[in-house]
Amino acid sequence: MSTSPTPTPSEAFELLLSGNQRFVAGAPEHPNQDAARRAETAPAQRPFAAFFGCSDSRLAAEIIFDRGLGDLFVVRTAGHVAGPEVLGSIEYAVSVLDCPLVVVLGHDKCGAVAATRAALTDGVGATGYVRDVIERVTPSVLAARAAGLTEEDDIIAEHIRHTVDLLMDRSRVIADQVAAGRTAVVGLSYRLSDGSAQVVTTRGLPSEVAA
């Protein structure tokens, strides 16, 4: 395994942004995707970012951010709703794998958010465990309503902010890593049409980096 130093939270964030810019431009480099990288990462992993994203099939983090094997530790659920397993997985990434960056990745046209809005507006229910997903997205949609937000992009952004706040509030491990400057948490919103990832909120990044 490579002995290169772990990037700082700001450096990790810059790596992601540059990869997304290559993806948007249609000029990906596909780093760390060859046999040499496979052999290098076989003994152990040292990802530089932990991703918590929506399960949407159009939201593959390694492609969107032009990364490869061993770069990203990815956790995904519909609507990026967080339960104990998600929190434990992200805590593992930051406390055991020393990930300097946690990314919450949402996107426009999110089916979980749309279903939640329909349930609240029209009383359109869901069966099985899909109902649990809707219940976990509901606080975000209600918060957006309370703030007078009606546009889809604004509601999606509110859900991303809510998820970032949830990680910080519910996980002492994550909050302590951020407070110590070892990890930052970033909320990004992905645009399906052009492939760009826009910053929604940050915790633990310098303002000039987060801008």
Side-chain angles (χ1 to χ4, degrees):
M1 194 60 192
S2 172
T3 58
S4 59
T6 300
T8 66
S10 295
E11 290 168 344
F13 185 56
E14 291 295 339
L15 281 173
L16 288 181
L17 290 184
S18 61
N20 182 242
Q21 289 166 2
R22 294 193 300 271
F23 174 69
V24 171
E29 296 176 356
H30 305 294
N32 298 331
Q33 297 183 19
D34 56 11
R37 180 64 169 178
R38 184 180 68 228
E40 181 187 13
T41 57
Q45 59 173 323
R46 287 182 55 196
F48 70 83
F51 267 80
F52 176 37
C54 182
S55 297
D56 192 292
S57 61
R58 299 163 290 182
L59 217 67
E62 288 88 351
I63 296 175
I64 293 169
F65 295 94
D66 193 26
R67 302 310 311 177
L69 296 173
D71 289 335
L72 309 179
F73 184 91
V74 181
V75 182
R76 298 173 69 181
T77 64
H80 53 83
V81 297
E85 300 87 349
V86 167
L87 291 169
S89 297
I90 299 173
E91 286 185 350
Y92 176 81
V94 301
S95 64
V96 178
L97 302 179
D98 295 323
C99 280
L101 186 67
V102 175
V103 178
V104 173
L105 183 63
H107 66 99
D108 57 355
K109 298 180 176 60
C110 178
V113 172
T116 302
R117 294 178 69 185
L120 292 172
T121 303
D122 305 321
V124 178
T127 59
Y129 287 103
V130 175
R131 180 166 44 193
D132 185 66
V133 173
I134 290 175
E135 288 174 355
R136 292 179 188 229
V137 178
T138 294
S140 300
V141 176
L142 291 178
R145 283 186 175 183
L149 304 176
T150 58
E151 297 297 322
E152 181 199 44
D153 287 349
D154 294 332
I155 296 170
I156 294 293
E158 180 61 31
H159 183 43
I160 293 168
R161 280 190 291 268
H162 182 268
T163 303
V164 169
D165 289 343
L166 183 149
L167 296 184
M168 296 289 292
D169 293 342
R170 290 187 59 187
S171 172
R172 174 56 56 189
V173 171
I174 297 171
D176 285 350
Q177 291 286 92
V178 172
R182 291 190 292 269
T183 299
V185 182
V186 177
L188 300 178
S189 183
Y190 178 71
R191 294 178 180 173
L192 294 169
S193 60
D194 64 18
S196 65
Q198 309 296 320
V199 177
V200 173
T201 187
T202 67
R203 302 287 189 277
L205 282 180
S207 57
E208 64 271 16
V209 175

